[in-house]
Amino acid sequence: MGRTGPVRLPGFCLNRVATRVRVRSPPTAEVKSISAAKGSGGGEGAATEGRKVMIVVDSSPEAKCALLWALSHAIQGRDTVVLLSVIRTSSSSSSQHGDESLREMNSRVYEVACNMKNLCHTKKPEVQVEVSMVEGKERGPTIVEEARRQGVSLLVLGQRKRSVTWRLMVAWIGGGGQATAAGAVDYCIQNSSCMALAVRKKSGRSGGYLITTKRHKDFWLLA
């Protein structure tokens, strides 16, 4: 039986979220842990200190959607936003042509990150924004490690709509700890040391967002 009512993620104020929320009923223990987390900030001192929120960005519309959601619903005035771009390490042998291609790719990645930074300043000019570019062979572990290294409080990622073929493949492989099959986003959600969530725009007339966390999958925020 589903629950209807406002949902707040641990330690984060979801601004302007409508009260109509559909959530698959979590166990009672999870509800208590979420409620306890909301009051663990330490009062006014914690509120004024600000937090570090990391958003994984790239040229995809899903990444932009995640950023816009975070700016509207999770990021507060004293927070610091870290825009993380992941560059996959090339496995090919070094050459002049390869170096030129890598520089060109890095330039495009940096340009996208700068555009996202400008968007942050437009939407929330009071927020401090940092751009971080890291290299890694595997996207998921690289993101998790960088979030841990920088001590972020919240990790936000864009998530694509999963096709029927993708779902069947994961079911056939077995899911669970299969990081490669489940994808980088699911890997980050399951393995991040901080709160991690994936955001996807809900299609159809109802609109809103579908949010996935470690405890909840695709709960609907009508915003």
Side-chain angles (χ1 to χ4, degrees), residues 35-50:
S35 298
K38 285 192 282 185
S40 63
E44 292 184 6
T48 57
E49 185 178 342

Side-chain angles (χ1 to χ4, degrees), residues 123-166:
K123 297 291 184 179
K124 279 192 175 292
E126 73 278 13
V127 171
Q128 181 179 350
V129 184
E130 301 174 0
V131 173
S132 180
M133 298 175 63
V134 294
E135 290 186 346
K137 291 183 179 180
E138 296 184 56
R139 184 176 175 86
T142 301
I143 294 171
V144 168
E145 173 58 25
E146 186 64 15
R148 184 201 63 78
R149 189 186 70 82
Q150 295 204 29
V152 304
S153 301
L154 175 65
L155 175 63
V156 183
L157 308 99
Q159 187 171 48
R160 296 179 181 178
K161 184 177 181 180
R162 295 164 177 171
S163 65
V164 175
T165 302
W166 187 94

Side-chain angles (χ1 to χ4, degrees), residues 15 28 30 35 111 118 132 153 157 184 192 200-201 209 219:
N15 301 320
T28 304
E30 291 186 4
S35 298
E111 182 179 358
N118 292 336
S132 180
S153 301
L157 308 99
S192 176
R200 177 166 64 87
K201 192 79 172 177
Y209 298 89
F219 66 82

